[in-house]
């Protein structure tokens, strides 16, 4: 029942070389489509993609491209040279022709919601039933997959009709004055290529059982998948761009513009989050820059900002290793430390912090003396009253330390 359209006489190696050379274009396109399918499937696995793309369009298109690329590769009849039992190749070839229609429908549904219609859902279920039926018939020995391929071509024509309908819908939107965006224009071009080559391949298949059924369809399939892949990623890029803008605005709302630390809004929301936990321990460190007003008044606000940034960097590089650091006022900072052995961790970072201040003042590279008062308290029960008491205690200890440091300054001056 198979038409032998070519006969080769001569050395096996020469024949293989000649055939592979004549099929180099088809092999190249097939491998490119397979590679595109793998890349699209991999893209769908990335968490960043799912953050912005709310469907699995990339996975469906990747699966469709992978199946069509493998089918196109098998249809070149080159792999048959390297396989002893060509029935395995034939089985895979037929199976890919039977299953490749379904991923395309699922992909189109991601953008055009065609499965909202009951008829389309029934059509999709019929394809699933047909695939299962083919598997049962083949492995039960009742019927060969090759004898069931005509139904696959019917589904392929059905997909073409759906694609034509989408194409006509796009053209109607154009006639109504609606603008075609770049993504839609690329899809329309890809759809046109696929429809034309599918029609030619269908006529060729019904006319004779040729050795390479993907001869024309592979070109259209390549153009179609490229266009859909590009249009899909344009849409994903747009969503990601919008998401990044939203993330940037959100981050700015919770970030102190001068120091880059969390601001008072972030600090208050963190306290609300901690109150929801109820269980656990919390260490609160309050810090305040001494003599900032004098620096602003006598040296200038620009130098005062440098003092704030320097203090923020030292606090973040020491206490920030143990907890979250916030700038909650002009010269006030707060560190929230969670977990176990909080006091021990606090003491280690306090020693490092004081060493940093001492080293900075010994350098004398800035026209001011860095001096930061601090207070610390621990809360062992995360409820509002206990947290408020801990904050008040840490704040009071900070002001006591501030007064102590000022008193020491007066004595040293005297």
């Amino acid at each position: 029942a198979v038409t032998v359209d070519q006969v080769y006489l001569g050395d096996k190696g020469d024949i293989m070389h000649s055939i592979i050379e004549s099929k180099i274009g088809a092999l190249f396109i097939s491998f490119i489509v397979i590679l595109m399918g793998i890349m699209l499937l991999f893209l769908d696995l990335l968490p960043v993609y799912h953050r912005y793309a709310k469907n699995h369009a990339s996975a469906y298109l990747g699966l469709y491209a992978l199946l069509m690329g493998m089918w196109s590769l098998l249809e070149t009849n080159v792999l048959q040279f390297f396989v002893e039992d060509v029935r395995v190749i034939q089985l895979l070839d037929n199976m890919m022709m039977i299953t490749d229609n379904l991923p395309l429908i699922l992909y189109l549904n991601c953008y055009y919601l065609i499965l909202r219609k009951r008829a389309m859902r029934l059509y999709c279920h019929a394809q699933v039933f047909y695939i299962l039926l083919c598997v049962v018939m083949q492995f039960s020995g009742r019927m060969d997959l090759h004898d069931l391929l005509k139904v696959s071509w019917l589904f392929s024509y059905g997909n073409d009709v759906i694609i034509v309908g989408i194409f006509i819908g796009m053209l109607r939107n154009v006639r109504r004055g609606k603008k075609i965006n770049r993504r839609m224009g690329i899809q329309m071009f890809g759809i046109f290529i696929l429809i034309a080559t599918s029609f030619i391949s269908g006529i060729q298949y019904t006319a004779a059982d040729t050795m390479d059924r993907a001869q024309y369809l592979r070109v259209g399939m390549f153009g179609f998948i490229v266009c859909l892949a590009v249009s899909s990623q344009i849409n994903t890029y747009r969503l990601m761009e919008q998401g990044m803008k939203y993330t940037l605005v959100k981050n700015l709302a919770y970030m102190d513009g001068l120091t880059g630390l969390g601001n008072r809004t972030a600090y208050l929301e963190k306290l609300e989050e901690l109150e929801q936990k109820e269980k656990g321990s919390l260490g609160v460190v309050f810090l305040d820059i001494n003599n900032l007003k004098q620096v602003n008044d006598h040296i200038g606000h620009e130098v005062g900002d440098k003092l704030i940034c320097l203090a923020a960097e030292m606090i973040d590089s020491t206490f920030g290793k143990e907890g979250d650091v916030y700038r909650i006022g002009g010269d006030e900072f707060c560190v929230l430390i969670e977990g176990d052995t909080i006091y021990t961790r606090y003491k280690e970072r306090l020693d490092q912090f004081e060493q940093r201040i001492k080293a900075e003042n010994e350098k004398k590279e800035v026209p001011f003396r860095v001096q930061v008062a601090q207070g610390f308290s621990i809360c062992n029960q995360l409820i509002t009253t206990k947290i408020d008491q801990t904050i008040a205690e840490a704040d009071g200890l900070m002001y006591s330390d501030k007064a102590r440091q000022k008193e020491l300054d007066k004595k040293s001056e005297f």
Side-chain angles (χ1 to χ4, degrees), residues 376-394:
F376 171 74
S377 184
I378 295 179
C379 173
N380 292 315
Q381 192 175 2
L382 298 180
I383 57 175
T384 305
T385 54
K386 293 290 184 181
I387 292 176
D388 290 343
Q389 288 174 9
T390 303
I391 290 173
E393 185 178 347

Side-chain angles (χ1 to χ4, degrees), residues 97-98 100-101 105 123 126-127 130 147-162 202 205-206:
M97 288 186 66
I98 288 168
D100 62 12
N101 290 307
I105 289 293
Y123 175 73
Q127 289 203 32
Y130 166 66
D147 299 324
L148 298 165
L149 281 183
K150 290 183 179 179
V151 179
S152 173
W153 280 98
L154 289 176
F155 280 120
S156 180
Y157 292 143
N159 288 0
D160 290 343
V161 170
I162 294 171
Y205 176 75
T206 53

Side-chain angles (χ1 to χ4, degrees), residues 363-379:
K363 289 180 185 177
K364 296 183 179 180
E365 294 178 351
V366 289
F368 50 77
R369 184 165 176 266
V370 181
Q371 194 177 72
V372 181
Q374 63 84 32
F376 171 74
S377 184
I378 295 179
C379 173

